[in-house]
Amino acid sequence: MASTVENPDASMRYGSNASNIADIFEPVEATDSLVLLLHGGFWNETDRIRTWDAGHALAAAGHLTASVGYRHGPGSWSSAFDDVIAAIDQIQLSGREWTVGHEAPRKITLVGHSAGGQLALWAASRSSLPAGSRWKTDDLQATAVVALAPIADLARAAELGIGDAAVQRFLGGAPSDVPDAYAAADPAELSPSIPVRVLHGSDDDLVPVELSKRYAERAGAQVALDVVDGVGNAEWGDPSSDAWQRVIAAIGQVTG
């Protein structure tokens, strides 16, 4: 995303780590729903500005939006999960970022792009995590997910070596090296308990559409997959692209 975009309406901390910052984008009309936007970058992206165009566009479409920063880098998977949960728990509770025209959010939709899509799909499936996982819960708080070109099958993505072995860096090794990490993190091995919409372009050369197809085949009735011809990866974060209206439509369907 360009660095010359308009600043967010506000920024807030939702946790104690330096990465725990969310940028807030407010719609003109009052709303009681909240979109938490989780950026991509193969779990190694530090520039929150890349989401600002999307944040403003979501607000213009009527969605109170918080673009969530989270911990990233090699071996950061458990910290990233902690941050996503903290964001869901804390951002909706803070009154500082909402104007008087907004009610406390009652609907929380996670919108994740690429690596952020993996985090969103994981958050939708916490009730199916292995027994003993500290993240396992039936009280998800989030009410829906829209995943945009998500890295939805980590084991297959590792096998393909996407992002120059981004999955192996994130989880600390291949599936044979750290099987417990994959069991706890891989959306393709979990089952969502809230509605999930997945959008993926047929021409994506960064995150193959195969990953979303494999995920949807396993995930069951809660998941709807829309494969869009002629679309790559970057378009899902670009409000000027032809694909963007599909993003708005999908969010509208799960929040309406």
Side-chain angles (χ1 to χ4, degrees):
M1 309 291 278
S3 61
T4 57
V5 297
E6 185 179 349
N7 287 336
D9 296 307
S11 295
M12 61 167 287
R13 288 197 173 275
Y14 67 86
S16 59
N17 187 271
S19 297
N20 298 160
I21 298 176
D23 297 317
I24 309 301
F25 304 87
E26 295 195 78
V28 173
E29 299 294 331
T31 180
D32 67 352
S33 66
L34 171 65
V35 168
L36 295 184
L37 184 61
L38 302 172
H39 66 75
F42 289 121
W43 308 283
N44 196 37
E45 175 61 63
T46 60
D47 186 3
R48 298 194 329 274
I49 293 175
R50 75 199 301 264
T51 68
W52 286 3
D53 276 332
H56 283 296
L58 289 171
H63 301 290
L64 180 61
T65 301
S67 179
V68 178
Y70 53 86
R71 279 173 280 185
H72 49 270
S76 63
W77 65 278
S78 60
S79 296
F81 291 175
D82 287 341
D83 290 348
V84 170
I85 292 171
I88 295 170
D89 290 345
Q90 296 301 317
I91 292 176
Q92 66 160 328
L93 298 177
S94 173
R96 182 160 59 94
E97 75 279 12
W98 320 126
T99 65
V100 293
H102 298 292
E103 301 179 33
R106 290 195 291 268
K107 301 175 183 177
I108 302 175
T109 301
L110 305 179
V111 178
H113 180 204
S114 193
Q118 179 270 329
L119 296 175
L121 295 176
W122 173 85
S125 305
R126 290 172 59 200
S127 60
S128 68
L129 284 168
S133 170
R134 73 174 189 263
W135 302 296
K136 187 178 179 69
T137 182
D138 291 324
D139 182 18
L140 299 185
Q141 297 194 61
T143 52
V145 163
V146 175
L148 310 171
I151 306 175
D153 187 328
L154 295 182
R156 178 57 175 158
E159 182 180 354
L160 294 172
I162 71 165
D164 293 326
V167 176
Q168 292 91 320
R169 289 195 301 274
F170 182 53
L171 294 181
S176 59
D177 301 322
V178 286
D180 290 346
Y182 282 81
D186 195 343
E189 299 301 325
L190 304 171
S191 299
S193 55
I194 57 177
V196 172
R197 292 290 309 275
V198 179
L199 305 180
H200 212 130
S202 64
D203 292 356
D204 195 327
D205 59 0
L206 293 179
V207 180
V209 68
E210 169 195 350
L211 303 183
S212 286
K213 290 180 177 179
R214 289 166 61 95
Y215 169 76
E217 287 172 358
R218 300 179 187 183
Q222 289 280 24
V223 175
L225 170 62
D226 186 5
V227 177
V228 184
D229 289 340
V231 172
N233 188 279
E235 290 96 316
W236 298 117
D238 181 3
S240 68
S241 73
D242 292 339
W244 183 254
Q245 288 308 311
R246 290 181 179 266
V247 178
I248 297 300
I251 296 172
Q253 287 169 0
V254 299
T255 60

